[in-house]
Amino acid sequence: MAATHKVTKQVKKSAKHIGLVKNDPYLEPFEDAIRGRHEHAMWKMNELAQNDKRSLSEFANGYAYYGLHRLPKGWVFREWAPNATEIYLVGDFNDWKEEEAYRCKRIQDTANWELKLPSKAMKHGDLYKMHVYWNGGNGERIPAWAQRVVQDEQTKIFSAQVWNPLHPYMWKKDKFKPKVNPLLIYECHIGMAQDAEKVGTYREFKDNILPRVIRAGYNCIQIMAIQEHPYYGSFGYHVSSFFAPSSRFGTPEELKELIDTAHQNGIAVIMDIVHSHAVKNEVEGLGNLAGDPNQYFCPGERHEHPAWDSLCFDYGKNEVIHFLLSNCKYWLEEYHFDGFRFDGVTSMLYYSHGLGEAFTNYGDYFNGHEDDNAICYLTLANKLIHEVNPNAITIAEEVSGMPGLAAKFEDGGYGFNYRMAMNIPDFWIKTIKELKDEDWKPSSIFWEVKNRRTDEKTISYCESHDQALVGDKTIIFRLIDADMYWHFKKGDENDVANRGIALHKMIRLVTASAINGGYLNFMGNEFGHPEWIDFPREGNGWSYKYARRQWHLVDDKSLDYQYLGDFDRAMLKVLKSEKDFNKTPVVEIWHNDGDQVLAFMRGNLIFVFNFSPNRSFTDYGFLVPTGSYDVVLNTDAKDFGGNGLSDDSITHFTNYDPLYVKDRKEWLKLYIPARSAVVLKKN
């Protein structure tokens, strides 16, 4: 009865329209569906909470129960394996042979198995696996809840590892509250973050890369490939062990030290979490843990992802919800991550995984092809994460445009803090590829960089890791291509290089200055990293040449990379100089597609862009609030590889116009060189 009363009360409280519909009346025809999803999540929360007997956070404590744990009097191991008939632990401690002392017992009539051992039965560092039997077969498996998994360098075989260090990591900054207004994300990958041709480590990232992030002005790092994955080249998106931080980068203590150091320097740390699918591997992964390939995954046609060669979780099973919600809480509690960027959300939302669908009108989000169980899981995940840490950051990587994804749960939304503005990089690729410079339209650019729902915050970006992979091109490489190799030395630039340097800065500035939540950059792209990303594979002779970041290029004062890196740092400093930048409205001052000029205002900052490749303008006038303005950033400054055609030291005063006295506006007249942008601040 408690569940019924709770849901009914919630519905009545919302009066005529649920918040999502109030904010967007065009959603009114679909209000029943929106309410249905909301009530489904409410019902499921109440079921998992056992009619308010426990919180969602208490439900998500699976990682403290399952897996291997050291107790005061010994060890305990537990696994959920409903289809198993026998389970043994085999490892270094018993010469990898089945022994009665290491045979698990089924807990009464449940699907859980348990083994209790004395302290001397195993030790820190021992390798182990389960040997699982089921009707008709058996096999070695890594426990689903294993918190430490390592790969043998010679055999390449993965094993779980007993992890109970004598000196557990002691947090220096136990409590951390991110200060992210705006949220400025540095997307990174630990393994490829070093200049050397090898796999980098957590400690090397802490010592060599984190200081660069701090100097650059970002306030958050988003780390890819944390969850253990068998194939390095998957970029971490084919996960095998969901509770194990990848050991190829170092130890759990070293990851904690990296996060702790970031926190001490005011940097939030979020991780790419992959709950949209899992690797198909059986020995390392969950593909066939105990003779039932559907234990964690959907049966039938929905078992495998048709495009990713992976397995699709069954979000309708409470045990799977328990596993995934516990996974969210584990990373927050054990490693002090400040939140998550959920990968592949579009794939979760639809039975079709969004493949081959256009999503051209609102009806496309409410036509019965949505996976309500997955939607419910995502909603619960956001509720849990913010219950565990009210300051946590959650971001949805979602391309279909599903309404309500980053709206409040109370309004009928799914509760993410942000959604990725995935339209923007696609727009820049299309513009650079298909339009001549003379055809770039400021009105189209302005529309695209601020095209978003008013009740949902977004993460804007020009390019992420996706655009840097082999088979694609980064913005700088689309603009300059091979000339980067021959004309990127200071004083030796040709027209192609100069064009690329100018537009690289302008594209970033117009994207970052129009944000309504956050801005993201993939490591190295801020200084125009010249090479694509290609992980070691058979096709490239297992080379690490392109699975790294060449920091020596930006450190070389004789090369143009330094200009772009310095500009990125200055740009972020300007954005942070305006208090509550995110809360300032983006107010258009002027656009003229014929001149290719755009101007808009945010708080006390005015952003002016001249996208024309060959026309500079003298005394170009804009109506702005009366006063004086100083230049705080100019893409054409010599310090950033520009021509330095303007005198940025002078203060600009507005010119009186009797027609606009009542509006308290006057004319600001500027010299704006071709292919440049300037930011002014009101005194």
Side-chain angles (χ1 to χ4, degrees):
M1 291 298 292
T4 305
H5 290 318
K6 205 167 190 178
V7 172
T8 304
K9 187 177 180 182
Q10 181 76 17
V11 173
K12 286 181 178 178
K13 193 176 180 181
S14 58
K16 291 183 179 179
H17 291 301
I18 201 164
L20 201 59
V21 178
K22 285 181 183 177
N23 293 331
D24 185 352
Y26 289 103
L27 285 171
E28 191 171 337
F30 313 103
E31 184 161 12
D32 286 346
I34 293 169
R35 284 187 184 278
R37 292 172 186 175
H38 181 75
E39 290 170 17
H40 181 195
M42 292 284 291
W43 170 80
K44 179 58 71 174
M45 259 193 294
N46 198 69
E47 180 192 13
L48 301 180
Q50 297 179 341
N51 295 332
D52 291 334
K53 289 181 181 177
R54 62 183 177 189
S55 66
L56 200 57
S57 178
E58 289 170 325
F59 169 76
N61 281 332
Y63 63 90
Y65 179 79
Y66 292 106
L68 180 67
H69 299 281
R70 181 74 163 87
L71 302 178
K73 294 184 179 180
W75 300 90
V76 64
F77 171 81
R78 299 186 186 95
E79 187 75 20
W80 174 60
N83 203 50
T85 56
E86 294 282 355
I87 298 179
Y88 290 86
L89 283 193
V90 295
D92 292 337
F93 39 76
N94 57 15
D95 202 25
W96 296 89
K97 296 176 182 176
E98 294 177 12
E99 293 181 0
E100 182 64 23
Y102 291 89
R103 183 171 69 88
C104 301
K105 295 179 180 178
R106 188 184 285 270
I107 302 176
Q108 298 175 342
D109 295 326
T110 70
N112 296 326
W113 296 77
E114 183 180 74
L115 173 63
K116 291 183 178 179
L117 294 165
S119 299
K120 63 181 181 180
M122 56 180 65
K123 65 182 185 303
H124 173 68
D126 282 349
L127 301 181
Y128 71 98
K129 290 182 183 179
M130 299 187 300
H131 194 168
V132 186
Y133 287 83
W134 57 85
N135 289 327
N138 66 88
E140 284 192 351
R141 298 289 186 264
I142 291 178
W145 299 77
Q147 296 181 12
R148 172 73 171 170
V149 175
V150 296
Q151 184 179 26
D152 184 274
E153 290 187 13
Q154 276 72 44
T155 65
K156 304 302 180 185
I157 293 173
F158 285 88
S159 302
Q161 187 174 37
V162 178
W163 200 255
N164 183 46
L166 185 61
H167 301 291
Y169 186 78
M170 302 298 292
W171 293 90
K172 295 180 177 63
K173 192 170 183 66
D174 194 40
K175 301 293 182 182
F176 176 73
K177 183 177 180 180
K179 294 180 180 178
V180 288
N181 186 18
L183 178 59
L184 302 171
I185 300 174
Y186 201 78
E187 184 187 35
C188 50
H189 182 285
I190 300 295
M192 58 170 289
Q194 301 304 312
D195 211 320
E197 295 183 27
K198 63 167 193 169
V199 177
T201 67
Y202 298 123
R203 184 153 285 171
E204 286 173 327
F205 189 97
K206 174 184 70 74
D207 293 341
N208 303 330
I209 312 307
L210 187 59
R212 291 181 181 273
V213 178
I214 296 166
R215 286 197 303 271
Y218 291 87
N219 53 30
C220 178
I221 55 174
Q222 177 181 306
I223 311 181
M224 309 169 66
I226 290 294
Q227 295 168 294
E228 190 58 88
H229 45 290
Y231 179 46
Y232 185 51
S234 75
F235 233 141
Y237 291 124
H238 276 197
V239 175
S240 52
S241 295
F242 286 77
F243 291 85
S246 182
S247 61
R248 56 172 58 86
F249 308 136
T251 67
E253 285 67 41
E254 288 165 346
L255 174 56
K256 291 175 182 179
E257 185 182 23
L258 162 58
I259 295 169
D260 200 8
T261 305
H263 286 170
Q264 291 173 66
N265 286 277
I267 307 292
V269 186
I270 60 178
M271 68 175 275
D272 259 10
I273 198 165
V274 185
H275 284 179
S276 47
H277 62 134
V279 74
K280 290 169 71 173
N281 299 34
E282 295 184 357
V283 176
E284 297 92 357
L286 305 176
N288 186 13
L289 193 74
D292 178 9
N294 301 323
Q295 180 178 333
Y296 284 93
F297 307 106
C298 292
E301 292 182 357
R302 297 181 57 216
H303 186 68
E304 293 189 19
H305 195 292
W308 295 348
D309 192 34
S310 55
L311 303 177
C312 301
F313 283 109
D314 185 348
Y315 305 104
K317 280 186 178 178
N318 283 356
E319 294 88 350
V320 174
I321 293 176
H322 183 232
F323 180 81
L324 295 175
L325 289 182
S326 296
N327 193 237
C328 293
K329 184 178 178 182
Y330 168 76
W331 293 109
L332 293 172
E333 293 280 271
E334 182 66 24
Y335 285 90
H336 293 200
F337 277 100
D338 300 297
F340 307 97
R341 178 262 205 187
F342 277 73
D343 179 68
V345 170
T346 305
S347 176
M348 300 171 71
L349 295 177
Y350 307 99
Y351 293 131
S352 67
H353 306 293
L355 300 173
E357 300 202 41
F359 300 103
T360 56
N361 60 73
Y362 275 168
D364 292 339
Y365 306 111
F366 304 98
N367 64 10
H369 69 156
E370 303 82 32
D371 186 340
D372 286 342
N373 288 326
I375 290 171
C376 180
Y377 166 68
L378 289 169
T379 307
L380 295 185
N382 276 292
K383 288 291 287 183
L384 164 78
I385 291 163
H386 293 105
E387 183 180 317
V388 174
N389 179 2
N391 300 308
I393 299 161
T394 59
I395 304 168
E397 188 239 9
E398 205 281 314
V399 72
S400 78
M402 169 70 79
L405 200 63
K408 294 178 181 177
F409 172 73
E410 294 75 17
D411 290 338
Y414 305 166
F416 283 96
N417 297 108
Y418 306 89
R419 63 190 305 159
M420 302 290 288
M422 300 184 74
N423 59 300
I424 297 177
D426 290 343
F427 169 78
W428 285 124
I429 290 170
K430 186 177 177 65
T431 298
I432 295 169
K433 281 176 65 176
E434 300 179 5
L435 296 180
K436 294 184 298 182
D437 292 7
E438 292 83 358
D439 295 332
W440 288 29
K441 292 184 178 180
S443 60
S444 299
I445 293 170
F446 192 51
W447 164 261
E448 206 67 47
V449 296
K450 66 182 190 68
N451 178 20
R452 57 225 173 193
R453 300 182 60 80
T454 57
D455 58 343
E456 300 188 46
K457 290 190 291 187
T458 57
I459 302 296
S460 298
Y461 61 108
C462 314
E463 53 188 344
S464 66
H465 71 274
D466 285 328
Q467 287 73 42
L469 293 167
V470 161
D472 209 334
K473 287 183 180 180
T474 59
I475 283 176
I476 197 70
F477 223 75
R478 287 187 185 278
L479 292 169
I480 305 177
D481 214 272
D483 284 283
M484 286 196 74
Y485 297 121
W486 314 110
H487 296 285
F488 226 59
K489 189 176 181 67
K490 292 180 181 178
D492 190 37
E493 303 88 353
N494 60 6
D495 289 344
V496 174
N498 282 326
R499 169 185 179 264
I501 291 169
L503 288 177
H504 190 271
K505 292 176 289 186
M506 294 183 71
I507 287 169
R508 277 169 157 64
L509 181 60
V510 74
T511 302
S513 58
I515 60 173
N516 78 325
Y519 173 75
L520 177 142
N521 166 72
F522 179 68
M523 63 177 183
N525 285 357
E526 74 279 7
F527 66 80
H529 198 283
E531 307 277 294
W532 52 75
I533 300 166
D534 188 14
F535 281 95
R537 55 187 172 84
E538 189 175 1
N540 65 16
W542 302 103
S543 169
Y544 288 89
K545 182 178 180 181
Y546 297 110
R548 61 187 180 118
R549 298 283 89 178
Q550 299 182 53
W551 303 106
H552 67 274
L553 296 175
V554 72
D555 292 340
D556 189 337
K557 290 180 168 50
S558 71
L559 300 178
D560 291 326
Y561 300 100
Q562 189 183 42
Y563 288 144
L564 300 180
D566 287 348
F567 174 79
D568 196 75
R569 184 183 305 111
M571 177 182 76
L572 299 188
K573 185 177 180 181
V574 167
L575 299 187
K576 290 189 289 187
S577 72
E578 181 68 24
K579 187 179 179 182
D580 293 327
F581 184 79
N582 267 332
K583 296 179 181 178
T584 60
V586 181
V587 180
E588 183 176 3
I589 295 172
W590 173 261
H591 84 260
N592 185 308
D593 285 346
D595 294 341
Q596 294 183 272
V597 172
L598 169 69
F600 57 89
M601 190 168 190
R602 297 199 70 167
N604 289 314
L605 296 175
I606 292 178
F607 299 85
V608 180
F609 299 84
N610 178 8
F611 285 98
S612 172
N614 49 29
R615 287 183 298 166
S616 299
F617 298 99
T618 303
D619 289 337
Y620 203 102
F622 306 97
L623 275 172
V624 301
T626 301
S628 62
Y629 294 81
D630 288 328
V631 174
V632 291
L633 186 66
N634 192 338
T635 65
D636 192 50
K638 287 189 174 182
D639 286 347
F640 308 133
N643 296 310
L645 297 176
S646 301
D647 183 357
D648 293 335
S649 66
I650 65 171
T651 297
H652 296 267
F653 294 90
T654 55
N655 298 316
Y656 174 74
D657 188 326
L659 293 176
Y660 298 99
V661 170
K662 289 183 180 179
D663 297 328
R664 295 183 180 178
K665 289 185 177 180
E666 293 182 344
W667 290 98
L668 178 66
K669 295 194 174 183
L670 301 173
Y671 170 58
I672 42 176
R675 206 179 271 147
S676 74
V678 63
V679 186
L680 303 102
K681 188 163 191 173
K682 190 175 186 293
N683 293 311

